Amino acid sequence: MDNFSAQVERLIPQLRAPNTNISGKIVRVVGLTLEANGLAAPLGAHCQIEHLESDTFIDAQVVGFNGETLYLMPFTEPAGIGPGARIWVRSTTSKGGLGTELLGRVVNGLGSPIDGKGPIQYSEYRSLEGTQINPMERGSINKILDTGIKAINTCLTLGQGQRIGLVAGSGVGKSMLMGMLTRNTEADVVVIGLIGERGREVQEFVHQTLGEEGLKKAIIVASPANESPVIRLKAASLTHLIAEYFRDRGQNVLLLCDSLTRVAHAQREVGLAIGEPPTAKGYPPSVFALLPKLIERAGVGRNGVGAITAIYTVLAEGDDRSDPIVDIARASLDGQVMLARELADAAHYPAIDLTGSISRIMNSLLTPELQHNANRLRNLWTLYQQNKDLIQVGAYEVGVDVDIDMAIQLRSKINELLQQDSETAVSLEKSQELLQQLMEQA
């Protein structure tokens, strides 16, 4: 090692330690936030607070200010912090580590590995905010994405670089469908953000859903519900930053975020804690500013180099499809896949309800014949759903409407096409062939 490198190595511990010459003091703790005076720091700054009963530090982030008072939110429980505890600025910006060494690894919201496979040697660091792409420089979506799921390949065809939402209430099969997409979709790299979900699901997803082979090209960022809302928000940003890194290298990236609703919940906790006024369902305005900004980070790269196909799960609380988070997601995404509890209760999996589901890119990807077949199938599905009660009680008379008659006649075959075992993958070509055979009977 040369002299310069040796000097840098000796300086690293000092660079990582807080600047003890510039410090403030904690003056108040209110709910989830800490208030500090005597220190100037920008929003998003990473600070460290002394633990009064030991020689350790507690990490926190600046989330707001009022005059000379800083509002901070700790990364962990603030036990051990008392009046007058000193606080230092560690970094004025939040950055995430990047590199191909991330492949096959599971990290937390701060980028630290939690899979027991040792440290990760990052090749570079970038701001968690990412870099905006001029909309005039974005490439167009012109390649079909094979998801391996018949219902999506035929009636909700997706393109590389599209952003789609999986919308449903709890326990309707969002995670199962996300697992199918993870295993079956053709992609160079899969980046998965498990944000605000149950902690046990992380290990299940790694070992059961992905498996050893699937993990080789996957990166998982996990921040379960018991972690600080600041860490959950960092995890969402880090998930997108990692996807951007591989997209910029010209790769086709599949980004799965489970769930967008939990990201909104984390921002709601932060916003309400620092005094933002609640609006619809208690969500502060910052939530409705954050979600579109996050979603816009996905898509086709600059000048068509690389693509991030993003799939977000969205929780419709109480099966309410007019929930404000469902509304903002529907307005910001390039389509949505609606899952119905009624179908799940009838063991129809995946429980995709074509009524309300749409892919806004689909018509620009398919030939007129394939578009006609898909629209015809959706028409027959919707007609049956609209008249189901009359049909089931025997109030509908055969011959009144030719299209309804056809919907009744092909009902079982339509269901067969739309249903699929979670362990089975069906190619795009095979899916379209099955749809063609079915529509020849219509």
Side-chain angles (χ1 to χ4, degrees), residues 79 133 144 162 168 170 234 285 334 339 341 368 376 379 382 419:
I133 298 177
I144 294 178
Q162 188 169 349
S170 58
K234 283 182 176 290
D334 301 319
L339 304 183
R341 189 174 301 278
R376 180 59 173 159
N379 175 253
T382 304
Q419 289 178 276

Side-chain angles (χ1 to χ4, degrees), residues 54-117:
S54 68
D55 294 330
T56 59
F57 297 99
I58 292 175
D59 293 299
Q61 180 172 306
V62 177
V63 293
F65 61 87
N66 183 5
E68 296 183 356
T69 301
L70 291 180
Y71 299 136
L72 302 102
M73 190 162 286
F75 293 176
T76 57
E77 286 295 323
I81 294 178
R86 289 178 298 170
I87 175 174
W88 300 271
V89 176
R90 177 176 176 178
S91 171
T92 56
T93 58
S94 295
K95 293 186 177 182
L98 300 166
T100 56
E101 296 82 359
L102 277 164
L103 289 169
R105 301 302 300 270
V106 183
V107 300
N108 62 17
L110 298 175
S112 300
I114 57 173
D115 52 9
K117 297 180 180 179

Side-chain angles (χ1 to χ4, degrees), residues 72-293:
L72 302 102
M73 190 162 286
F75 293 176
T76 57
E77 286 295 323
I81 294 178
R86 289 178 298 170
I87 175 174
W88 300 271
V89 176
R90 177 176 176 178
S91 171
T92 56
T93 58
S94 295
K95 293 186 177 182
L98 300 166
T100 56
E101 296 82 359
L102 277 164
L103 289 169
R105 301 302 300 270
V106 183
V107 300
N108 62 17
L110 298 175
S112 300
I114 57 173
D115 52 9
K117 297 180 180 179
I120 300 173
Q121 298 298 321
Y122 293 117
S123 57
E124 64 176 285
Y125 290 83
R126 294 183 190 174
S127 168
L128 287 178
E129 296 300 317
T131 55
Q132 292 187 354
I133 298 177
N134 184 329
M136 295 301 295
E137 295 180 354
R138 274 194 185 273
S140 59
I141 301 174
N142 51 29
K143 295 181 181 178
I144 294 178
L145 183 75
D146 187 354
T147 63
I149 299 172
K150 292 184 291 181
I152 295 178
N153 280 345
T154 54
C155 299
L156 301 165
T157 309
L158 304 183
Q160 290 182 14
Q162 188 169 349
R163 293 83 53 89
I164 197 94
L166 303 182
V167 184
S170 58
V172 183
K174 295 189 301 300
S175 296
M176 184 192 75
L177 182 55
M178 191 177 78
M180 292 175 68
L181 289 165
T182 303
R183 290 190 299 270
N184 302 339
T185 302
E186 293 183 352
D188 300 320
V189 178
V190 179
V191 183
I192 304 159
L194 302 176
I195 316 297
E197 297 298 320
R198 292 175 287 271
R200 67 169 177 80
E201 292 182 341
V202 177
Q203 193 174 71
E204 288 179 4
F205 201 92
V206 172
H207 297 299
Q208 298 178 18
T209 302
L210 278 178
E212 186 176 344
E213 195 62 32
L215 187 60
K216 289 180 181 179
K217 68 171 185 178
I219 301 157
I220 299 177
V221 181
S223 182
N226 62 314
E227 293 191 342
S228 163
V230 173
I231 298 296
R232 281 178 266 150
L233 290 173
K234 283 182 176 290
S237 295
L238 180 60
T239 301
H240 286 74
L241 182 67
I242 294 170
E244 288 171 334
Y245 171 78
F246 286 99
R247 177 192 63 191
D248 294 345
R249 293 165 61 91
Q251 294 181 287
N252 175 29
V253 182
L254 176 66
L255 184 154
L256 298 126
C257 183
D258 187 16
S259 72
L260 196 66
T261 306
R262 304 302 184 193
V263 175
H265 289 177
Q267 182 60 39
R268 178 171 62 181
E269 290 179 49
V270 173
L272 295 179
I274 61 175
E276 272 195 85
T279 56
K281 280 200 172 181
Y283 290 104
S286 60
V287 171
F288 303 105
L290 170 69
L291 297 187
K293 182 180 177 182

